[in-house]
Amino acid sequence: MKYTLVKQLIELAEQYESENPENSSQNLVDFTAWLNGQLMQKKPGDTKMAGRLITPYETVESVLGKLITFLYRYARIYSKKSLENTPLITPDDFTYLAIVFSRGSMTKMEVIESHMQEKTTGMEILKRLLKNGLIEQYDDETDKRSKRLVVTQKGQQVLMGIFPSMGYVASLISGNLTTEEKMQLVYLLNKLHLFHQNIYQESRYQHPEDILKERLPDKYNT
């Protein structure tokens, strides 16, 4: 056997890694979306249609930001409805509880940082979960100043009851996109996420103008 297909996949994987050096996770979902774009030679979406969405008073960047904000608000509306009659008040309550459950245990700051939130906001969410008996805390063995969190039996029962409903929310949010469009969107949004995650970790307190000048000088000068 000549393993021609395997050799092609290896070459494509090397190309993907060279074009995406900032993506430390290098996961299969991102690679599949990238590979789909390479093989199909398609740009995601209809650019002519997208152009008609931009008024003379807007830019493609401002419209992109607006649409991302709208999608976030739609997701919160659907999630809040699904959380009615549960101990969880906000969608963040659900995601905090879910990530601690999936990881087994986490420190408070690990949970907060994973959600890109300020410490005060994150602590309020954790207080609610602790007060409702959905999580419990204990001293970290390596750092006595930190508290580790685990999901209680009650918290697990709440999660198991909510997962089906939140699955409907996830399906609804992805709307009428085809599987190919979903994969393309995952790839593009993750590319943006990695770009902004680096800023959040290193430059979050800088003014946006200074960040743009430093990270995207070509866009700053236009």
Side-chain angles (χ1 to χ4, degrees):
M1 296 180 65
K2 295 182 179 181
Y3 299 101
T4 303
L5 179 59
V6 174
K7 292 176 182 178
Q8 291 177 343
L9 282 172
I10 292 174
E11 291 175 356
L12 286 167
E14 290 175 346
Q15 181 183 344
Y16 167 70
E17 291 183 352
S18 67
E19 292 181 8
N20 300 273
E22 75 283 0
N23 187 352
S24 59
S25 61
Q26 302 291 353
N27 61 69
L28 187 59
V29 172
D30 291 345
F31 174 66
T32 303
W34 176 87
L35 182 60
N36 177 69
Q38 292 292 309
L39 298 179
M40 300 299 292
Q41 291 296 305
K42 289 184 178 180
K43 293 182 179 180
D46 184 341
T47 55
K48 291 183 179 179
M49 177 68 73
R52 291 197 287 271
L53 298 175
I54 304 171
T55 70
Y57 303 100
E58 296 177 306
T59 64
V60 62
E61 289 86 0
S62 68
V63 172
L64 178 62
K66 178 179 70 176
L67 293 175
I68 290 174
T69 300
F70 286 170
L71 286 173
Y72 169 73
R73 290 173 181 167
Y74 297 143
R76 289 189 68 85
I77 291 170
Y78 301 145
S79 298
K80 284 184 177 180
K81 193 66 178 178
S82 294
L83 296 177
E84 288 181 350
N85 304 316
T86 77
L88 305 179
I89 307 300
T90 70
D92 287 330
D93 291 13
F94 168 76
T95 57
Y96 270 49
L97 188 63
I99 195 170
V100 176
F101 176 72
S102 67
R103 299 280 182 86
S105 75
M106 300 174 71
T107 66
K108 290 183 176 181
M109 287 311 301
E110 284 174 342
V111 178
I112 295 171
E113 289 287 339
S114 70
H115 286 77
M116 309 295 176
Q117 287 183 315
E118 296 296 327
K119 182 178 179 180
T120 52
T121 302
M123 285 299 183
E124 286 300 315
I125 296 170
L126 293 176
K127 283 181 183 178
R128 284 200 297 271
L129 297 178
L130 286 165
K131 182 178 179 180
N132 287 321
L134 304 178
I135 59 174
E136 58 186 12
Q137 61 185 2
Y138 61 93
D139 291 335
D140 189 294
E141 294 181 359
T142 58
D143 184 0
K144 298 301 181 182
R145 296 170 299 177
S146 297
K147 296 288 186 181
R148 297 198 71 83
L149 304 170
V150 293
V151 177
T152 63
Q153 187 66 35
K154 178 182 177 181
Q156 292 181 35
Q157 292 174 349
V158 169
L159 273 178
M160 294 305 108
I162 293 175
F163 275 145
S165 182
M166 294 304 287
Y168 298 143
V169 171
S171 295
L172 184 57
I173 291 170
S174 63
N176 56 352
L177 297 180
T178 65
T179 299
E180 179 184 337
E181 288 170 336
K182 291 175 189 176
M183 296 300 290
Q184 291 172 333
L185 186 59
V186 166
Y187 170 72
L188 292 173
L189 290 178
N190 189 61
K191 184 175 182 178
L192 275 176
H193 163 64
L194 292 172
F195 173 78
H196 292 292
Q197 184 182 51
N198 186 261
I199 292 174
Y200 179 81
Q201 293 170 345
E202 299 179 2
S203 312
R204 76 177 85 170
Y205 300 114
Q206 287 184 243
H207 191 278
E209 181 181 358
D210 296 328
I211 296 174
L212 185 65
K213 187 189 304 183
E214 175 186 328
R215 306 268 178 162
L216 300 168
D218 291 342
K219 294 185 70 173
Y220 179 77
N221 293 324
T222 57

